[in-house]
Amino acid sequence: MLDDRSAIEHHKYSRRLTELEKRSAAAQQQQNKRSPKTHIGNKIRGIRVKRYVFNGERVLKLVVLFSVILLFMIYIISPWSKVTTLHVTGNHDLTKEQVEKNTNIYPGRFIWGVYLTRHQLIKQAIHKNPQIKSLKVEVTGPQSLRISVKENALLGTAVINNDTYAVLADGQLQRTKGADNGIAYKRFDGHKKALATAATQLGKLKPAIRNGISSVSYQPTKEYPDRIIIYMRDGNTIYGDLNTIGDKMEYYPAIAASMKNKGIIDLQVGAYSYDYGSKDK
């Protein structure tokens, strides 16, 4: 009896195992239909192609990089890197030749040398010539530069102890050989500080007002120790304080327009005017 039961169970187990094997084989067959196997030879060829492409890209990048470096080195030592065009802008009193001489920048210099040392060249130019207030050097092309100049305006000249000085808008004095057509500063012998202060004040004025000044004379008194007298080209005379004249002279056009005759405008304390010879002061 036990042998019969064992035989029955063995038969059932064999039948289940057979069914499982059939199911597994069917599933494997269905999977093979969905995604057929790629031949190993094709895989190897694909890997080789990708490797060739990757190596080719690396070689191409290196060739381009070294070509650029080589061309740049050739450009640096070739005449193509020399300045052929130099533009100078912003200069009024200074000539282009003066700017070139003071900056040591001129056609024929290597452009890369100028650009790399531009800060040092600018400092040297400002030290050489006080008329140069600031400079800016820009590369505008493979062979062209632009120098932008901001000047200390040249106001006029002063003779101090038989030496002639150019008077600049920031109060600096620069030795010069001759007078120009600007403002003539008189009676400032032994008073360079007063001259510098007066020049700084007048340097604030708009060119339209400043260009109307013929001369400035330092004439202090006990009551007004900083008095200067300004003689205008239109015939008027201004009394002012050298410490405040730059601000008060801004009102000159309006005051002059309100005067019926030429006369004196007193800007030392307040602001009022009267005709020449008038006793109403």
Side-chain angles (χ1 to χ4, degrees):
M1 184 122 178
L2 293 172
D3 292 337
D4 292 339
R5 287 180 179 179
S6 298
I8 291 170
E9 290 178 359
H10 181 71
H11 178 70
K12 289 180 179 181
Y13 177 77
S14 297
R15 189 170 58 186
R16 288 179 182 177
L17 184 61
T18 301
E19 289 177 357
L20 290 173
E21 290 177 352
K22 287 180 179 180
R23 291 178 182 177
S24 177
Q28 185 68 32
Q29 186 176 4
Q30 188 175 4
Q31 185 177 0
N32 290 338
K33 288 180 180 179
R34 291 178 181 175
S35 55
K37 292 182 179 180
T38 303
H39 194 275
I40 189 169
N42 293 335
K43 289 184 177 181
I44 293 174
R45 282 194 294 273
I47 292 172
R48 287 178 178 174
V49 170
K50 289 182 179 179
R51 185 175 296 171
Y52 289 149
V53 172
F54 178 73
N55 290 337
E57 289 179 350
R58 290 182 63 186
V59 172
L60 180 61
K61 289 179 180 178
L62 290 174
V63 170
V64 171
L65 177 62
F66 284 109
S67 297
V68 171
I69 294 174
L70 180 61
L71 290 174
F72 181 70
M73 294 177 67
I74 293 174
Y75 166 74
I76 285 177
I77 62 176
S78 71
W80 296 335
S81 67
K82 290 185 177 181
V83 178
T84 58
T85 305
L86 181 61
H87 297 286
V88 177
T89 62
N91 58 312
H92 299 287
D93 298 323
L94 294 168
T95 65
K96 180 181 178 181
E97 290 71 22
Q98 287 177 309
V99 175
E100 290 181 5
K101 182 179 179 181
N102 286 290
T103 59
N104 200 27
I105 300 174
Y106 47 83
R109 285 202 59 176
F110 285 107
I111 195 169
W112 54 268
V114 172
Y115 186 75
L116 292 177
T117 60
R118 64 191 185 283
H119 297 299
Q120 182 179 355
L121 294 175
I122 289 171
K123 288 181 180 179
Q124 291 176 353
I126 294 174
H127 180 72
K128 285 180 182 178
N129 194 337
Q131 280 186 258
I132 300 175
K133 188 173 184 179
S134 64
L135 287 171
K136 187 177 181 182
V137 179
E138 298 173 286
V139 176
T140 56
Q143 293 180 289
S144 61
L145 289 172
R146 179 170 61 238
I147 303 176
S148 302
V149 184
K150 189 173 182 181
E151 295 180 344
N152 281 321
L154 180 60
L155 302 186
T157 54
V159 178
I160 302 176
N161 300 326
N162 297 321
D163 291 325
T164 303
Y165 293 88
V167 182
L168 305 181
D170 64 350
Q172 292 191 74
L173 303 178
Q174 185 180 20
R175 286 183 180 273
T176 184
K177 294 181 179 179
D180 63 2
N181 294 324
I183 303 170
Y185 292 84
K186 301 176 180 180
R187 301 182 66 172
F188 281 95
D189 283 351
H191 303 286
K192 283 188 177 181
K193 186 176 180 180
L195 175 58
T197 302
T200 303
Q201 285 290 314
L202 297 179
K204 297 178 181 180
L205 297 176
K206 296 176 182 178
I209 300 175
R210 191 172 65 225
N211 293 338
I213 300 175
S214 174
S215 64
V216 178
S217 179
Y218 182 51
Q219 297 187 33
T221 64
K222 290 183 179 181
E223 187 177 1
Y224 300 108
D226 295 317
R227 187 178 74 162
I228 55 175
I229 299 178
I230 299 174
Y231 300 94
M232 304 299 293
R233 298 184 191 276
D234 62 5
N236 289 322
T237 301
I238 299 172
Y239 290 174
D241 187 301
L242 61 84
N243 298 295
T244 60
I245 192 63
D247 297 321
K248 292 189 174 183
M249 276 284 288
E250 292 291 339
Y251 304 104
Y252 175 75
I255 296 173
S258 66
M259 297 173 62
K260 295 180 180 180
N261 302 304
K262 302 301 179 182
I264 295 174
I265 301 173
D266 196 328
L267 300 177
Q268 296 174 98
V269 179
Y272 59 94
S273 63
Y274 50 91
D275 295 343
Y276 289 123
S278 174
K279 295 182 180 180
D280 183 17
K281 299 182 179 181

